[in-house]
Amino acid sequence: MHDLPLTRELVLIGGGHTHALVLKRWGMKPLAGVRVTVINPGPVAAYSGMLPGFVAGHYTHSDLELDLVRLARFAGARVVMARATKIDRKAKLIHIEGRAPLRYDVASIDIGITSDMPDLAGFDAHGIAAKPLEHFAARWDSYRADVAAGLAAPQICVIGGGVAGAELAMAMAHALKGADDLSVTLIDRGEILEEFRAPTRRALLAALTDVGVALRPNTAIGNIEADHLTLTDGTTIASHFTLGAAGARPYGWLKETGLTIVQGYVRVGPTLQSSDPNIFAVGDCAHLAHAPRPKAGVFAVRQAPVLFDNLRILLSEQRGATKKSLYHPQKDYLKLISLGDKSALADKNGLRLKGAAMWRWKDRIDRTFMARLTTLKPMRPLVLPDLVAAGLRDEVEGKSPMCGACGAKVGGDILARVLHDDTDLKRDDIVRLKGDDAAVLTHGAAYGGSRQVISVDHLRSFVADPVMMTQITAIHALGDVWSMGAQPQSALATITLPRMAPPLQEAWLSEIMATARTVFAKEGAQIIGGHTSMGAEFSIGFTVTGLADTPMTLNGAKDGDQIIVTKPIGTGVILAAEMAMLASGRDVAAAYASMALSSGEAATILSGAHAMTDVTGFGLAGHLLGICRASGVSATLTLSNIPVLDGALALSQSGIASTIAPANRAYSAQYEGPNGPLADLLFDPQTAGGLLACVGAGGAQNLIKKLKKSGYSAAIIGEITTSDETGPRLTARP
């Protein structure tokens, strides 16, 4: 996190090329006292330079992805995976879909442009816009697989005869080369590739014809259907994949910012500042008033050092005292145009070169650019002084940094020794069942015979976004209530903020409490108070209560019961890898989504279970053994049936594990079965994990159907068996 107090908020709206490069620079040279936030609809952004090569099949999907989660970790920033919709300049707030607004002191916009065509009939329903790139890349992946499987016809229309449309048309023709009845048509309402000099244009038109692309210049489209286009003259063209690569336009909400706008784009000067000096704009969404240029990635890349320098000046004590950097784009730039196969055409200042050598040149440039943003060194290990206390080196050297979330908990064996004596609990109105998830309080007739369960959970921060951290912690804390079959009732919040200036304190607490109220209200509970303090790092916890007529406990499992888990496991290893910048941003985002998924509906579906708990810090093995010990039974698991989060098994295979995993294995000493990466995940600490229920064999499959229909990745993973004289055991088989 941050070693010094925070005093300023920098928000980067969009994960475009310029912002990605700024994040890399910020990680190498941060400005103390600034919290950086990057807002982007997803965990990755696509690099436009490699898109034609990806479409042609020369690159994988992951090759062209800029991993914003990893970049944010490197920069010490938070990433908000949502879409910005508005900037309130008076209140200095950025509005975002699905969450409270974010405060900013300085902001920068790098959201690119869109190729959507809302005015073309049928495009919204049946067309695919080339921009934003991430969505198009995913749709192309799917379509190409369908063509290979014979599920879709290889008939394509590309709308837009500029260089982007031409490159993509050639790439598509190459990718599907050899498919029966292949047709790729490039359509433009004007001339195709008219922006080029005549010799270059002729060379590119010849290249299009060579790969079999049909050209339809000066053609107007009337309507788009799922399997064809209808032109205004009544002619139809077969198309099962209609791509919009023309009419690139800015996002409409920019007009509502009050900034000076030129044809929908944010007007900026040489410093890349807009008409509001606290807001910058870069990349395709910006209009360079002092030197207008076409939309091209080369300009975005070269804006990065200028933006980085000027952001630091504006946020620092030197504001107004240091001369800002100026951006002056080159008049012409090298255009390297992919021709479908591994050849390219280079064009600059009238000079043209074509062939495989040009492709290799382009490939080297693109891979070098991506390496700048993917070669990230993890946090530096702690360097100890020459003389330290005995035993300190054993605790530090050769060990990974301490995990957050449930990976930071004290081991179960220590807790068992410290908390084993419950002899002081003699009151009739308090029942603490050993090993259970929550204590049970009785209140007599005031609650109509119901009993109240109470529990507390507090997590050390593992994600820089307080909103995401609050969502996950609230769901995690409610797990103890749900696992006892209780209805959530109330919550008390305990929040420790990192040191920061008062305006930031208010902004953070506003985000946190708005999120907490939303999560708990959705589950039928209410925030009734709490406590806040300042500390070395951000942490958050909730004391929760719930009501139940007869709370469900751990001691009801029976021989023959089927064991159900409602969420995949693997959050501990993914969070450990994310700290070391070794996890995929997509996998991290999926893990966050799993943790933030409410178990309320799952608890209702499993309300008839014989025993139930939630899978959290002790891992699946530890919590299942808790049921076995309380019920006097054993359990058998089928490892291959256990749902696992994407990326978790591969990370486990690479040797990554949460810091508490060894203690969890020691706590689960009654485990017998295979060892290896999948078995290791049994001891992986889970945060906001799923419910673990023991149910009668007769109804287990029906419960799985209901759980899956409700959106849970539920599975039957084993069965309860009798114990022998050695006591409860957990046995696993492949």
Side-chain angles (χ1 to χ4, degrees):
M1 291 295 180
H2 299 272
D3 296 327
L4 297 171
L6 298 172
T7 61
R8 292 292 182 271
E9 293 267 16
L10 167 62
V11 179
L12 305 177
I13 306 171
H17 302 358
T18 313
H19 281 176
L21 288 165
V22 166
L23 286 172
K24 174 68 180 286
R25 287 171 175 263
W26 201 277
M28 298 170 67
K29 191 179 179 182
L31 180 61
V34 176
R35 182 175 73 154
V36 181
T37 298
V38 56
I39 304 170
N40 196 67
V44 300
Y47 170 48
S48 60
M50 297 175 80
L51 184 67
F54 159 75
V55 171
H58 308 317
Y59 302 120
T60 66
H61 201 155
S62 60
D63 286 335
L64 74 156
E65 288 184 340
L66 299 169
D67 194 325
L68 296 176
V69 174
R70 293 183 70 239
L71 277 168
R73 168 65 73 173
F74 179 78
R78 67 165 167 170
V79 57
V80 173
M81 286 172 275
R83 193 179 302 276
T85 59
K86 177 183 176 181
I87 298 177
D88 182 342
R89 291 167 49 220
K90 183 177 181 180
K92 302 199 81 169
L93 293 174
I94 298 167
H95 292 255
I96 303 171
E97 284 181 348
R99 57 181 286 162
L102 299 185
R103 178 189 177 277
Y104 73 91
D105 292 295
V106 175
S108 178
I109 309 170
D110 185 13
I111 59 175
I113 51 182
T114 176
S115 299
D116 201 4
M117 299 177 176
D119 298 329
L120 181 54
F123 187 86
D124 286 347
H126 306 297
I128 300 99
K131 292 188 177 184
L133 303 180
E134 304 84 57
H135 178 67
F136 161 54
R139 290 287 298 271
W140 173 251
D141 251 349
S142 177
Y143 173 72
R144 189 178 177 189
D146 286 346
V147 170
L151 301 176
Q155 296 167 336
I156 298 168
C157 281
V158 178
I159 305 170
V163 63
E167 274 192 298
L168 292 173
M170 287 186 282
M172 291 172 168
H174 176 80
L176 301 181
K177 183 174 60 177
D180 292 339
D181 300 321
L182 172 64
S183 68
V184 180
T185 304
L186 182 60
I187 304 172
D188 197 279
R189 66 177 63 185
E191 293 295 335
I192 291 173
L193 295 169
E194 61 184 352
E195 69 266 37
F196 287 97
R197 299 179 182 92
T200 303
R201 181 170 179 266
R202 284 195 298 269
L204 289 173
L205 290 174
L208 283 161
T209 302
D210 288 345
V211 296
V213 176
L215 306 179
R216 295 293 300 261
N218 304 307
T219 300
I221 300 170
N223 186 53
I224 298 174
E225 299 291 344
D227 59 356
H228 70 276
L229 278 66
T230 302
L231 306 181
T232 52
D233 64 5
T235 305
T236 61
I237 302 176
S239 179
H240 290 260
F241 192 93
T242 301
L243 179 69
R249 59 188 180 85
Y251 288 95
W253 67 267
L254 293 175
K255 296 178 182 177
E256 311 302 322
T257 59
L259 301 171
T260 301
I261 300 293
V262 177
Q263 295 179 336
Y265 301 96
V266 179
R267 183 186 186 276
V268 299
T271 63
L272 302 178
Q273 288 167 288
S274 70
S275 54
D276 182 334
N278 291 314
I279 298 178
F280 294 75
V282 289
D284 287 350
C285 69
H287 171 76
L288 301 173
H290 63 293
R293 293 291 187 273
K295 305 302 179 185
V298 65
F299 300 121
V301 170
R302 296 191 180 188
Q303 287 169 355
V306 175
L307 177 63
F308 175 74
D309 290 344
N310 291 342
L311 288 172
R312 290 174 59 85
I313 292 170
L314 201 58
L315 288 160
S316 73
E317 296 173 324
Q318 297 177 328
R319 177 175 182 149
T322 301
K323 188 175 181 180
K324 294 186 178 68
S325 297
L326 304 179
Y327 175 65
H328 295 291
Q330 65 270 44
K331 292 182 179 180
D332 196 8
Y333 63 97
L334 175 65
K335 305 170 198 62
L336 282 165
I337 303 163
S338 299
L339 302 178
D341 58 358
K342 289 188 176 181
S343 64
L345 183 146
D347 178 86
K348 185 177 182 182
N349 294 325
L351 177 65
R352 289 170 305 285
L353 295 171
K354 179 183 175 183
M358 297 302 99
W359 163 264
R360 290 192 295 271
W361 187 17
K362 174 175 169 53
D363 178 63
R364 184 164 58 251
I365 291 172
D366 289 336
R367 290 187 184 275
T368 300
F369 172 77
M370 291 298 287
R372 292 168 63 188
L373 297 172
T374 56
T375 306
L376 305 174
K377 293 182 180 180
M379 62 185 80
R380 300 178 182 87
L382 180 65
V383 178
L384 296 176
D386 293 337
L387 186 63
V388 297
L392 179 60
R393 295 189 192 280
D394 294 337
E395 291 298 317
V396 174
E397 291 182 347
K399 293 187 177 181
S400 301
M402 185 176 68
C403 293
C406 282
K409 287 190 172 183
V410 175
D413 52 345
I414 296 175
L415 291 176
R417 291 193 295 272
V418 173
L419 303 177
H420 74 284
D421 188 3
D422 291 335
T423 56
D424 58 326
L425 295 179
K426 296 295 186 181
R427 293 175 50 171
D428 293 336
D429 59 344
I430 301 177
V431 180
R432 178 70 172 93
L433 299 171
K434 189 172 181 179
D436 247 304
D437 298 283
V440 180
L441 311 180
T442 59
H443 298 274
Y447 287 87
S450 293
R451 294 187 178 187
Q452 187 181 47
V453 302
I454 184 168
S455 183
V456 62
D457 262 302
H458 197 101
L459 298 180
R460 176 175 174 263
S461 177
F462 58 87
V463 56
D465 179 16
V467 170
M468 179 62 72
M469 191 67 209
T470 302
Q471 288 175 329
I472 292 172
T473 306
I475 295 299
H476 181 80
L478 285 168
D480 288 344
V481 173
W482 286 320
S483 66
M484 297 193 75
Q487 173 62 42
Q489 179 195 28
S490 67
L492 293 166
T494 309
I495 302 165
T496 301
L497 294 178
R499 293 171 61 198
M500 60 183 66
L504 274 73
Q505 294 176 33
E506 183 176 353
W508 276 52
L509 285 174
S510 295
E511 289 184 39
I512 291 167
M513 293 311 298
T515 303
R517 282 191 290 269
T518 298
V519 173
F520 283 105
K522 187 176 179 180
E523 306 303 333
Q526 184 177 355
I527 297 281
I528 58 174
H531 176 79
T532 61
S533 62
M534 303 284 283
E537 62 180 359
F538 176 47
S539 65
I540 184 169
F542 294 100
T543 300
V544 292
T545 66
L547 299 175
D549 292 334
T550 305
M552 193 179 300
T553 65
L554 300 181
N555 65 1
K558 302 175 183 179
D559 181 25
D561 277 356
Q562 301 294 288
I563 303 168
I564 288 177
V565 69
T566 62
K567 288 186 184 181
I569 62 173
T571 60
V573 70
I574 288 176
L575 294 180
E578 192 275 328
M579 285 184 62
M581 293 184 293
L582 296 173
S584 155
R586 288 189 183 277
D587 293 342
V588 173
Y592 290 162
S594 179
M595 287 185 277
L597 176 64
S598 166
S599 289
E601 193 169 352
T604 300
I605 293 170
L606 295 169
S607 60
H610 298 150
M612 189 157 66
T613 186
D614 59 336
V615 184
T616 53
F618 298 149
L620 192 152
H623 287 282
L624 181 53
L625 276 167
I627 290 178
C628 292
R629 292 167 186 146
S631 301
V633 296
S634 292
T636 299
L637 291 178
T638 301
L639 293 178
S640 59
N641 289 349
I642 299 173
V644 176
L645 286 165
D646 289 345
L649 184 58
L651 292 170
S652 182
Q653 287 172 332
S654 70
I656 294 174
S658 176
T659 48
I660 199 178
N664 280 352
R665 187 177 278 274
Y667 181 62
S668 304
Q670 295 84 1
Y671 169 78
E672 295 178 348
N675 291 313
L678 182 54
D680 288 344
L681 292 179
L682 294 176
F683 311 99
D684 187 54
Q686 303 306 290
T687 301
L691 296 177
L692 185 67
C694 300
V695 304
Q701 289 293 344
N702 188 46
L703 291 172
I704 291 294
K705 290 180 182 178
K706 290 181 178 179
L707 288 164
K708 288 186 174 180
K709 186 177 180 181
S710 297
Y712 298 99
S713 301
I716 297 173
I717 61 172
E719 62 182 353
I720 297 296
T721 60
T722 58
S723 294
D724 58 23
E725 64 278 0
T726 62
R729 306 202 70 76
L730 173 59
T731 304
R733 58 195 177 204

